[in-house]
Amino acid sequence: MHGKHHVLNRAFPLHTARSVTDMEAALQLVRNVVPPLAAWKHKGQAGRIGVVGGCPEYTGAPYFAAISALKVGADLSHVFTTQDAAPVIKSYSPELIVHPVLDSPSAVQDVEKWLPRLHALVVGPGLGRDDVLLENVKGILEASRTRGIPIVIDADGLWLVAQQPALIQGYQKVVLTPNHVEFSRLAEAVLGDPLDGRDRYRSVQRLSQALGNVTVVQKGEQDVISDGGQALTCSREGSGRRCGGQGDLLSGSLGVLAHWALLAGPEKTNGSSPLLVAAFGACALTRQCARQAFQKHGRATTTTDMIRELGPAFSRLFETSAGADGGGVAPTGELHL
Ligand SMILES: NC(=O)C1=CN([C@@H]2O[C@H](COP(=O)(O)OP(=O)(O)OC[C@H]3O[C@@H](n4cnc5c(N)ncnc54)[C@H](OP(=O)(O)O)[C@@H]3O)[C@@H](O)[C@H]2O)[C@@H](O)CC1
Ligand SMILES: Nc1ncnc2c1ncn2[C@@H]1O[C@H](COP(=O)(O)OP(=O)(O)OP(=O)(O)O)[C@@H](O)[C@H]1O
Ligand SMILES: [Mg+2]
């Protein structure tokens, strides 16, 4: 392997990890958990995902997350948002089921009613930092945890976790997806020291361990993923565009992949943590969408352009064993990651 897109095993201090899987092997593990499309299946079996987020300022973020979940392959995608944000989000897409409940006094019960029918929750995109909303989300997190529902926490959901790490401490079905700023905030709150930028692998691993081995995805130039034991990096080529919303695409995609991976179980992920594999899949997919969208739109690329690439990017990464230029194993057997 050569070039900048190979796995960064060598950059990872091996003594701190039980094992490090290489990128192509990790992609294969993602392929193993993707459920087949089949005539005997009924609507809902491929996943019913809930996004908790959105507020009057931010309606794009929950839309991006929820539509990405659908485009990756979920059958139904729900958004639990505020009264004001709901009609706006509905107007973006007839495909989303939008509940205007998040600022209601009965928000927790209103969402709880749906929990038995949901396979995973994505909490935080566009949520904002209103205390009433955050208090409601706290109740929703507690109820979801009690039911054992997989939860992806992003954006302002991570703000809440930084205030109250006990909410997710030790919950094995949670994945945190912090960007640079969100990671620093969590590290400060949980580890009590500012981010050590020199050794990102170690920082991610320490944060994960301190939170009871929850899965952490630190997004950035390379995405670093750890469950406290294993660590993976995704440095697949993306794009130079840093437009807002790419993290929302990632968290929505991860909601579905997390459900699929947990359903498949560690037998299908070769003993690796299913959530680690799902997180790697979501990072690779987001970057592949960025790359393909950028090839078409260049500097004008936005998250909407990336969402249009979800179908082709998914099939290139996860439904073929040999991608021409976008990954997989080339006919020569050489890895192009
Ligand atoms: N269309 C929509 O509705 C969207 C809504 N969204 C929603 O917005 C809410 C807030 O989320 P957020 O991520 O924008 O957080 P926020 O606390 O405002 O910090 C951002 C600032 O941090 C900085 N910064 C960033 N990266 C850095 C780095 N690597 N290294 C150093 N600094 C860095 C940078 O500030 P600068 O230093 O450049 O001034 C940047 O401006 C949340 O609910 C989210 O879901 C988004 O999902 C997008 C689409
Ligand atoms: N410097 C970079 N080079 C390549 N890809 C990057 C870079 N920074 C971020 N990404 C990719 O962009 C995606 C979103 O990461 P980012 O850090 O922008 O999230 P975010 O700030 O939460 O985004 P959002 O605007 O949705 O809130 C991830 O897949 C990440 O790998
Ligand atoms: Mg974000």
Side-chain angles (χ1 to χ4, degrees):
M1 288 202 303
H2 56 84
K4 63 175 178 164
H5 308 304
H6 64 120
V7 68
L8 297 178
N9 288 5
R10 275 158 293 173
F12 188 86
L14 282 170
H15 62 275
T16 61
R18 280 202 289 272
S19 73
V20 178
T21 317
D22 115 333
M23 288 234 279
E24 175 52 29
L27 282 178
Q28 185 53 49
L29 297 182
V30 182
R31 287 178 201 127
N32 291 350
V33 307
V34 174
L37 300 172
W40 53 266
K41 290 197 167 172
H42 66 256
K43 178 179 62 186
Q45 279 188 304
R48 293 183 292 265
I49 309 301
V51 175
V52 177
C55 65
E57 288 88 355
Y58 306 126
T59 54
Y63 161 77
F64 290 144
I67 201 77
S68 298
L70 268 184
K71 296 271 178 195
V72 165
D75 288 334
L76 294 163
S77 193
H78 294 254
V79 179
F80 299 93
T81 191
T82 61
Q83 184 103 45
D84 284 356
V88 181
I89 298 169
K90 285 175 199 276
S91 76
Y92 297 150
S93 168
E95 285 155 325
L96 303 178
I97 301 161
V98 187
H99 308 265
V101 297
L102 211 51
D103 49 352
S104 145
S106 58
V108 179
Q109 296 93 294
D110 292 344
V111 177
E112 222 171 351
K113 278 195 300 227
W114 285 92
L115 290 182
R117 282 183 265 176
L118 297 178
H119 296 114
L121 276 189
V122 181
V123 175
L127 180 63
R129 295 183 188 165
D130 179 276
D131 283 339
V132 173
L133 290 189
L134 292 177
E135 194 56 31
N136 289 341
V137 170
K138 183 182 159 195
I140 294 165
L141 281 176
E142 287 165 345
S144 308
R145 181 176 177 163
T146 303
R147 288 185 166 274
I149 295 175
I151 312 174
V152 177
I153 306 190
D154 189 29
D156 302 309
L158 296 170
W159 167 266
L160 177 61
V161 168
Q163 318 293 310
Q164 303 182 49
L167 281 172
I168 56 105
Q169 175 86 37
Y171 185 43
Q172 293 308 303
K173 291 191 190 169
V174 80
V175 187
L176 311 182
T177 56
N179 64 18
H180 179 84
V181 176
E182 291 152 354
F183 187 88
S184 307
R185 190 181 295 125
L186 282 169
E188 186 91 50
V190 175
L191 302 172
D193 44 65
L195 180 62
D196 177 3
R198 287 163 307 173
D199 192 347
R200 291 180 55 205
Y201 312 95
R202 186 80 193 115
S203 302
V204 176
Q205 202 176 31
R206 280 184 58 217
L207 179 66
S208 167
Q209 287 169 355
L211 288 169
N213 286 74
V214 306
T215 305
V216 178
V217 181
Q218 188 196 42
K219 297 174 290 189
E221 189 172 345
Q222 293 146 13
D223 299 319
V224 180
I225 309 159
S226 180
D227 62 354
Q230 279 192 300
L232 288 173
T233 20
C234 181
S235 51
R236 193 178 182 82
E237 184 178 337
S239 90
R241 277 284 281 152
R242 298 275 75 80
C243 58
Q246 300 184 48
D248 306 318
L249 187 158
L250 192 157
S251 61
S253 306
L254 180 50
V256 187
L257 288 168
H259 164 54
W260 289 349
L262 287 167
L263 202 62
E267 316 81 63
K268 289 283 175 73
T269 55
N270 205 14
S272 284
S273 141
L275 291 181
L276 196 81
V277 170
F280 181 87
C283 292
L285 183 62
T286 306
R287 287 167 169 263
Q288 183 67 23
C289 287
R291 178 181 179 181
Q292 291 178 196
F294 190 79
Q295 279 165 358
K296 292 184 184 165
H297 306 283
R299 196 171 276 279
T301 302
T302 61
T303 299
T304 302
D305 301 315
M306 288 172 55
I307 288 167
R308 286 200 192 98
E309 299 299 328
L310 268 166
F314 187 97
S315 73
R316 167 161 268 168
L317 287 179
F318 306 130
E319 290 177 323
T320 55
S321 55
D325 63 353
V329 184
T332 56
E334 197 182 347
L335 299 178
H336 293 284
L337 299 167

